[in-house]
Amino acid sequence: MQAGAEAALQVQGLTLRYNDVLALDGASATFPSGSMTAIIGPNGAGKSTFLKSVLGLVEAEGQVSAFGGPVAKVMARIAYVPQRAAVDWSFPVRVIDVVLMGCYRKTGLLGRIDRRMTAHAMAALARVGMQDFARRQIGALSGGQQQRVFLARALAQGADLILLDEPFAGVDAATEAAIIGVLKSLRDGGATIIAVHHDLSTVAAYFDRVLLLNRRTVAEGAVAETFTRTALAQAYGPALILDPAA
Amino acid sequence: MDEFLYLSLPPMVIASLAAIACVLPGNFLLLSRRAMLGDAMSHVVLPGIVVAFLLTGSGSGVVMGAGALAAAGLSAVMIEWVTRRAGIEPGAAMAVVFTTMFALGVVLLETTGTSGVHLDVEHALYGNLESLIWLGSAPPELLRLTLIAAGLALALRLVWRPLVLATFDPVFAQTQGVPVAWLRAGLTAATALAAVAAFQAVGSILTIAMLICPAATARLLTRTLPAQLAVSLGFAIASALLGYVLAGYAPLWIGLPFTLSASGMIATVSGLMLAAAALIASQRARAAL
Amino acid sequence: MIWQALLLQGGYNAALVSIGAALLGASAGAAGAFLTLRRRALMSDAMAHATLPGIGLAFLAMVALGGDGRFLPGLMLGAALTAAAGLWAVQRLARQMHEDAATGAVLASFYGAGIVLLTLIQGLGAGRPAGLETVLLGSTAGMLRADALVIGFGGLAVTCALWALSRPLAMVAFDPLHARMMGVNPRQMDAALMALVLAVVLVGLNVTGLILIVALLVTPAVSARMWSTTVTGTASVSALIGAACGYFGAAISASVPDLPTGPVIVLLAAGVFVLTLLIRGRADG
């Protein structure tokens, strides 16, 4: 595994304390360019917090660099797809408006939206198979469809480092297949994908790297070498009876 | 000394009783994140009083109190209905309902000629604590507030355990057979009762302050619910007494021949106590790190 | 009589008040749309109540400087300062408690302080305090051309600013985390929104008074939300409802004796809301 200069994202000693509780305790990891990594670990292991700390959405100690520089400098190249429950679904926006929100780095916040921009957003919707829903209000979609719209927003942003928080939680099989297809094609195009994931049975099929997190890094590397019974037992405790090869 | 007994003691006791009546439901409103319900309740009292007066022609405290209670109950139902039917946040629903009711009250007051009688908007807002003096007999507010404060305390004692459970974790409480919806409605009713009783004696502004400030102050300084309740009662009575004394005597001390609004001063004092508690709590949090 | 007023033929002053109220309604509707989308409806209530001590302090300061204390821009400056202080206090307290409680606590204690100051002014008998309490419920009866101009241009400026900022404001309201990732500072946008709402509150003090201004911000906005699926649409519909209620409310109250302007405008807005609920409300409600 080559890291270092190739790394899209490098995290060193990430530590975060909520009141008296350590949410992250010196977690470190390296994510090479063009890789697709699953972050797994037990509940309360700090997986979501890890992503938010990386993005600076919560203030943690430690060093984070993306594409060799501070994250704040390259925010335009990073997209974040939050967990589903994060927004007010009755909000008066249509699907196309949500996707257009991903384009504003290009228009500037006060600039007007032209036809090219709308076409760009429509293309992003088409990639996730949602082009027919463009004029619907966001709350009128199913959970899986909403998740696909948020992925389309990340696509419209044109990011090449994409962080997703539980993208498959509570979505239908069609959505899961659509999302994983898009993520793989993005990776093949050189983008770096990092997703918090909880379904251990699909890790090997979906991802090529894995980061086992339990407040600190338990193991990281290629799925074949890292996704082992010993490492899982270390992360989840010995109670977990599951054959990762299955 | 006699002057104090007849002129100052009754309003001070009434202010303290109003504070107690508000603090009891106030603690639970705060914990169930419905603190602003008191704001809404004390604004809708006005139309209730006006309508009761128009319908009966009677200016007695009981009739008006019943009207106010009916208006408060109606508005609580309307807030719930609007929240669900319009699919908006409870705060916005509250704002829509209480401003509408209040506007209705003002229009009725101005157009039906009731404004000359005994009722006016400013009185409703500030209350008239200073006039509740001992004139041959105790002011009727004294007895009424004593009964209501005692009744609320007794009710709280009876439903304490299920209420705590339903406030802390309503879903779990439901699975345990606790009548969560009834307790919620009961809390709303208690708030309405406290708001109406306190409103007639001390005005809406002090009612809102007493429903929220002492409970919030105590919450910042204590860690258990019984302690929070006890401390909040202490703060409520302290701000009632201190506020009344400041409003009544502070101008005299610096040689000004008049008094200030007691309700306003009590509300201000309770706000200052909250500010102090907020500073102390954040100092403590910093020291703990 | 009513028809004359509606057609702006009820006299110069009535026409002035109607147009001023319509402009206020429009800007309040537009600002309120963003405010409710950001779920801060009751923040405006705290802000409005927190203007009272500022009005009292400004009055006292102006009397101390030798005036009669009725200079409107001075009163509004005072109102703006304590309203901003109240807003700051809500935000500071909200770090330690639920925002709901912080809002109510600030509302009550600032308002209480304002009432103490009003009684102090009455006691001192200084200046010309008579009618100072009209800020509670507003009064359009004595509205002058200058007042109407302030309301009109203030409303216009607020509406233009909202138009320019509508996109970042919408992003922050919909998904603050994503907005931050896209280079929008949610704190700055919230501050800008609050400043615009404050401007509406100050202007509205003269028309509806500080207790009912919250209705002008919230009621048209929640109605508009049920008629539109876009942010721009919601804000436009809300502004339209606000303008219509302001205009008709002022006209009706001008032609019927004893009918106060502010409450009539609020009741009209409530009527629109009830109609909206009946037509567009959720059936399962």
Side-chain angles (χ1 to χ4, degrees):
Chain A
M1 183 187 68
Q2 319 143 309
E6 294 272 323
L9 180 68
Q10 198 150 22
V11 180
Q12 197 60 247
L14 209 56
T15 302
L16 180 72
R17 195 186 291 274
Y18 284 127
N19 297 326
D20 305 338
V21 185
L22 265 181
L24 287 172
D25 183 11
S28 301
T30 304
F31 302 90
S33 278
S35 69
M36 193 157 152
T37 310
I39 301 180
I40 58 175
N43 285 333
K47 292 167 293 186
S48 300
T49 312
F50 182 83
L51 289 191
K52 287 185 185 158
S53 312
V54 163
L55 292 167
L57 299 175
V58 293
E59 277 185 38
E61 293 164 40
Q63 277 101 48
V64 180
S65 68
F67 306 112
V71 170
K73 282 264 167 68
V74 290
M75 228 22 157
R77 296 177 64 183
I78 308 176
Y80 171 57
V81 181
Q83 252 179 30
R84 209 188 86 69
V87 303
D88 168 13
W89 296 108
S90 70
F91 204 93
V93 283
R94 297 166 305 177
V95 166
I96 186 77
D97 300 324
V98 174
V99 180
L100 279 168
M101 285 181 185
C103 303
Y104 292 155
R105 287 231 180 232
K106 296 181 194 101
T107 55
L109 281 165
L110 308 179
R112 293 292 121 189
I113 300 162
D114 55 18
R115 194 169 302 160
R116 225 186 36 189
M117 205 59 88
T118 316
H120 179 69
M122 281 304 288
L125 271 177
R127 278 187 80 175
V128 298
M130 289 293 294
Q131 68 277 26
D132 296 339
F133 297 85
R135 309 245 150 234
R136 295 271 193 94
Q137 198 260 330
I138 185 75
L141 305 184
S142 75
Q145 291 170 329
Q146 286 163 348
Q147 190 71 353
R148 279 193 259 171
V149 173
F150 278 78
L151 181 61
R153 182 176 73 177
L155 293 179
Q157 205 179 321
D160 50 3
L161 171 57
I162 303 181
L163 312 181
L164 305 96
D165 196 350
E166 301 254 9
F168 309 117
V171 304
D172 50 285
T175 295
E176 186 155 338
I179 291 179
I180 201 67
V182 171
L183 292 181
K184 282 185 170 167
S185 80
L186 283 170
R187 184 225 15 221
D188 296 343
T192 311
I193 316 288
I194 304 169
V196 170
H197 191 59
H198 70 282
D199 183 0
L200 298 183
S201 67
T202 53
V203 169
Y206 289 174
F207 297 91
D208 41 49
R209 294 182 76 258
V210 68
L211 166 64
L212 259 165
L213 196 71
N214 192 358
R215 286 186 286 146
R216 66 186 76 201
T217 305
V218 176
E220 72 164 319
V223 169
E225 296 135 35
T226 317
F227 195 56
T228 59
R229 188 183 281 255
T230 344
L232 284 175
Q234 232 180 314
Y236 286 82
L240 186 89
I241 302 168
L242 183 128
D243 192 340
Chain B
M1 194 61 208
D2 273 0
E3 194 189 330
F4 176 80
L5 271 183
Y6 289 117
L7 297 184
S8 292
L9 191 60
M12 286 168 92
V13 173
I14 286 172
S16 303
L17 286 170
I20 292 169
C22 289
V23 160
L24 295 175
N27 272 288
F28 288 90
L29 285 183
L30 184 77
L31 291 174
S32 51
R33 306 192 156 190
R34 293 201 291 156
M36 286 302 271
L37 188 66
D39 181 33
M41 288 286 163
S42 53
H43 278 93
V44 302
V45 166
L46 180 73
I49 288 179
V50 177
V51 170
F53 180 78
L54 289 177
L55 287 180
T56 63
S58 152
S60 91
V62 177
V63 170
M64 291 194 175
L69 215 50
L74 180 67
S75 71
V77 172
M78 275 165 58
I79 289 169
E80 297 267 327
W81 185 71
V82 165
T83 307
R84 260 184 298 143
R85 177 129 181 145
I88 53 179
E89 51 156 337
M94 247 178 233
V96 170
V97 171
F98 88 72
T99 52
T100 303
M101 303 268 286
F102 191 80
L104 196 65
V106 175
V107 166
L108 285 175
L109 202 58
E110 297 291 334
T111 52
T112 55
T114 24
S115 49
V117 201
H118 200 68
L119 276 173
D120 63 81
V121 176
E122 278 156 45
H123 177 193
L125 292 172
Y126 312 175
N128 203 358
L129 196 51
E130 295 83 350
S131 70
L132 303 176
I133 52 177
W134 193 288
L135 283 173
S137 65
E141 283 84 357
L142 190 59
L143 181 66
R144 208 178 302 144
L145 272 170
T146 310
L147 286 176
I148 287 173
L152 286 174
L154 183 69
L156 185 59
R157 180 80 197 78
L158 288 175
V159 299
W160 174 265
R161 225 156 356 133
L163 183 59
V164 171
L165 188 57
T167 309
F168 173 66
D169 187 349
V171 177
F172 174 72
Q174 193 112 46
T175 65
Q176 298 299 300
V178 174
V180 174
W182 281 106
L183 284 170
R184 191 181 146 88
L187 181 58
T188 306
T191 308
L193 188 64
V196 169
F199 170 86
Q200 286 187 304
V202 299
S204 68
I205 193 58
L206 186 49
T207 309
I208 306 170
M210 285 301 124
L211 275 166
I212 301 175
C213 290
T217 310
R219 179 149 164 71
L220 289 173
L221 301 177
T222 59
R223 277 172 182 268
T224 68
L225 189 50
Q228 178 189 322
L229 188 65
V231 169
S232 67
L233 284 168
F235 278 124
I237 295 171
S239 48
L241 299 182
L242 187 60
Y244 189 85
V245 170
L246 277 179
Y249 297 101
L252 303 178
W253 295 333
I254 55 171
L256 297 173
F258 55 85
T259 61
L260 301 174
S261 161
S263 297
M265 189 62 91
I266 297 172
T268 312
V269 169
S270 72
L272 290 175
M273 284 182 174
L274 177 61
L279 289 179
I280 292 170
S282 42
Q283 281 297 328
R284 271 196 206 165
R286 217 167 294 151
L289 277 182
Chain C
M1 184 76 182
I2 271 200
W3 296 114
Q4 283 176 348
L6 292 182
L7 297 171
L8 294 179
Q9 286 158 0
Y12 178 69
N13 198 50
L16 208 59
V17 172
S18 293
I19 293 173
L23 289 168
L24 170 68
S27 57
F34 289 98
L35 189 71
T36 48
L37 286 177
R38 190 78 181 96
R39 305 176 81 82
R40 297 260 163 92
L42 287 174
M43 198 77 106
S44 61
D45 202 21
M47 204 192 282
H49 283 77
T51 56
L52 193 60
I55 291 169
L57 287 175
F59 182 89
L60 285 173
M62 288 190 288
V63 169
L65 292 173
D68 70 355
R70 296 306 297 270
F71 182 56
L72 190 63
L75 293 176
M76 280 169 81
L77 179 67
L81 288 178
T82 49
L87 205 59
W88 177 84
V90 171
Q91 247 133 42
R92 173 67 183 74
L93 283 176
R95 278 196 243 151
Q96 285 162 290
M97 62 187 69
H98 193 229
E99 196 169 274
D100 205 42
T103 307
V106 167
L107 179 154
S109 41
F110 273 67
Y111 191 54
I115 288 170
V116 169
L117 285 169
L118 285 191
T119 51
L120 177 64
I121 290 168
Q122 276 164 10
L124 289 172
R128 286 199 302 123
L132 203 57
E133 63 282 349
T134 55
V135 297
L136 296 181
L137 289 172
S139 162
T140 48
M143 193 184 274
L144 303 173
R145 186 151 181 274
D147 300 343
L149 282 179
V150 167
I151 292 172
F153 279 108
L156 211 59
V158 168
T159 313
C160 290
L162 285 168
W163 180 254
L165 290 176
S166 68
R167 203 189 294 162
L169 285 174
M171 283 176 75
V172 170
F174 179 61
D175 188 346
L177 280 189
H178 179 255
R180 235 171 104 181
M181 304 254 338
M182 298 300 293
V184 183
N185 184 335
R187 275 195 185 190
Q188 279 173 8
M189 280 304 134
D190 282 342
L193 178 59
M194 286 303 155
L196 291 170
V197 170
L198 178 58
V200 171
V201 167
L202 291 178
V203 168
L205 284 182
N206 301 303
V207 179
T208 64
L210 59 84
I211 296 170
L212 289 176
I213 183 69
V214 56
L216 226 52
L217 284 158
V218 177
T219 312
V222 293
S223 309
R225 254 185 99 157
M226 285 188 266
W227 290 107
S228 174
T229 55
T230 67
V231 171
T232 329
T234 304
S236 310
V237 173
S238 179
L240 212 63
I241 297 174
C245 293
Y247 182 82
F248 290 112
I252 291 170
S253 89
S255 49
V256 178
D258 287 343
L259 212 51
T261 314
V264 173
I265 297 176
V266 173
L267 288 179
L268 285 179
V272 173
F273 178 65
V274 169
L275 274 182
T276 304
L277 267 188
L278 292 177
I279 301 169
R280 310 275 301 184
R282 292 183 189 170
D284 59 342

